[in-house]
Amino acid sequence: MDLSNINPILLVASIMISATPILLAAIGEMVVEKSGVLNLGVEGMMITGAVIGFIVAINTGAPLLGFAMAALAGALLSLAFGVLTQVFLSNQVATGLGLTLLGLGLSSLLGKPYEGMKAETLPKLDIPLLGDLPVVGRMLFSHDIMVYLSLCIVVAVWAFLKYTRAGLILRAVGESHDSAHALGYKVIRVRLLAIMFGGACAGLGGAYLSLVRVPQWTEGMTAGAGWIALAIVVFASWRAGRVLIGAYLFGGISVLQLNLQAAGLTWGVQYLSMSPYLITILVLVFISSNRSRSSHDAPANLGQTFHATR
Amino acid sequence: MIRLEKRPQPSKAWTVATPILAVILTMLFGGIMFGLIGTSPFEAIRTIFWDPLFHPQFAAFSRPQLLVKAGPLILIAIGLSIGFRAGIWNIGAEGQYIMGAICGAAAGLALYPMESVLILPLMIVAGALGGWGWAMIPALLKVRFGTNEILVSLMLVYVAENLLASVSSGLLRNPEGMGFPGSRNLSQWSSSQNLELIPGTGMHLGVLTAFIAVILAYVLLTRHIQGYNIRLTGEAARAAKFAGVSPARTILFCLGLAGALAGMAGLFEVTGPAGQVSIDFGSGYGFTAIIVAFLGRLHPVGILLAGLLMALTYIGGELAQLMLGVPGASIQLFQGMLLFFLLGVDVLTNYRVRIGKGELA
């Protein structure tokens, strides 16, 4: 094994790339959970976004259009979840699982003819001045637009939840849907919008996997990224800033793991591949062992069905 | 205006009718889907649901497959349903299934090439323990630290898949396999083989165990205090706590039982239909069993029927792949749709639909 092959500048740059899909999915899911809805279908929406983005990018040659369509597909799929859980009052856990199974099936059906193809990837932005800085320039300022968009979304979500009236209403709906309803807020409408935002973000994250990070379509390519995004929301105790930290930490782990494999670590490739999942479990244990804090942070009505009787 | 009014009790009639309605809706929308990908909807539906059982040419081969596929699905779904009843969401059955197969096969292979009638029972116990142990990880973490069992059990599926890849090209690799990954063929070693009990039916030990599990689960849920406690925990967790039901014990019991059953399902599969531990052993039964559990309304008898139906879609799907060139993934989508429609129409069980203007309260 030769560790000197690992270039620290490229390492940081690739951490940003590998963290972006889970960051997008996690920030979207955080908004959903803030509104009191637990959508376990992130994996399904991500992989649908991945396949739709890839197909559109191949057929039009425009990766940005691919991203837009992936977001739309994610939002539409999540709307199905929203209608079932909010209008037909189905169990959120079961419906979310169903969404994941549905998305996995749908994506492998749609993606079959596209396996092994190569889509045009996003160009790297040339940021004047900043991009020319010696070390930092290549690390931080020579990525594609989606990396920066994901960071913008995080800041926007943070500001939205903290400073705007609409954000306050969304949090109120998540903390106590009955009170919010009594105050005249449209609980179901707020939740449906939040669910669709989460779906769009997951779709973008999936498209980033198939269009930039890999960039190819293979069946089941998200490989649990959606579930890791869900874990990051718990890790972040429902705060936008910590979602960012969590996603970059996990991005770091998966990149490091791949780098070690590439550096010629001969024993136990499989043990390295399972490390992101094991570390997710460890982090979950660590976060939830502080029980008084973690239960305090979760939106009070998370996962509960809302049915207005009056 | 259409309003929903909560029923004081879930409707008995709709509990039975909703799965049938969901199947009909899935056939309808599945037919549209097949139409869109250029297959005749009627032919596709007939190939999936009718031909495996009654086609003059293929039925003789595919009929026994029904039990072969339904066995593991039912066995896993029974375990899952008991947890779901208590509000414990074990969705990592696929991992427990793989670990059961690995542990059971390892126990057997350690004794190769000994011949004894005791080896298969030993392997079954080892398989059950393997699945049980794998399920104990989320259970103990939940009890001790309050960790979310959904995420932990699912993460462990990916860990188990990597372990499977590791052992099938390492520890358990067939020394006479000329370097190819995969263990010795357990279905060809007389001490470990899990043969059909009645030739030509597909009825092997695993299927028999699944049927026994259905009966025992029924007795547990309707006649036993532990089953009552589980149902109580699911319906009203606080009430159960006041009545002295220990949440920790319920969690350990439900996850452990589901893990042991999934582990046994894995062992029966590896000694029978699959034959060996190999990289592609994980077949998604653990996830499909979730659909089976819900389609069967978390009721043992319902799960029995749902497992048979889901097995039919598997075989029919393979047949449709062969005969009509339908992509294999469309069956997965079909199964996903079924769960989705079921959850959607389920509203009729718990709510009454009122049309017209409701009186103001």
Side-chain angles (χ1 to χ4, degrees), chain B residues 100-281:
Chain B
I102 292 178
C103 292
L109 287 170
L111 300 171
Y112 188 86
M114 211 158 88
E115 296 285 340
S116 162
V117 286
L118 293 175
I119 289 180
L120 188 57
L122 173 81
M123 289 171 76
I124 296 172
V125 172
L129 279 177
W132 176 83
W134 206 242
M136 273 300 118
I137 301 171
L140 288 171
L141 291 181
K142 187 176 174 69
V143 168
R144 178 72 185 77
F145 301 108
T147 313
N148 183 323
E149 81 279 14
I150 301 177
L151 292 170
V152 175
S153 64
L154 193 97
M155 289 294 137
L156 286 172
V157 174
Y158 295 101
V159 176
E161 280 174 352
N162 278 305
L163 267 178
L164 176 70
S166 165
V167 296
S168 56
S169 56
L171 269 180
L172 296 183
R173 194 178 64 194
N174 184 357
E176 289 151 27
M178 300 189 283
F180 285 107
S183 72
R184 284 181 197 279
N185 195 317
L186 294 164
S187 60
Q188 284 168 11
W189 172 32
S190 61
S191 299
S192 73
Q193 62 194 174
N194 165 21
L195 293 174
E196 283 182 328
L197 299 173
I198 310 163
T201 56
M203 180 85 177
H204 62 68
L205 260 182
V207 184
L208 185 69
T209 313
F211 290 156
I212 295 171
V214 169
I215 297 166
L216 291 182
Y218 183 82
V219 173
L220 173 75
L221 285 171
T222 55
R223 297 281 179 272
H224 195 278
I225 182 73
Q226 180 71 23
Y228 173 76
N229 287 343
I230 286 169
R231 287 190 293 144
L232 185 62
T233 309
E235 304 271 327
R238 267 170 67 83
K241 221 170 174 176
F242 285 126
V245 181
S246 149
R249 276 183 55 189
T250 312
I251 292 167
L252 291 174
F253 177 82
C254 289
L255 274 163
L257 181 70
L261 290 181
M264 273 159 78
L267 183 272
F268 288 126
E269 194 69 13
V270 82
T271 49
Q276 57 166 189
V277 178
S278 62
I279 291 176
D280 50 4
F281 172 74

Side-chain angles (χ1 to χ4, degrees), chain A residues 19 85 140 142-143 204:
Chain A
T85 55
L140 306 177
S142 61
H143 291 295
L204 284 179

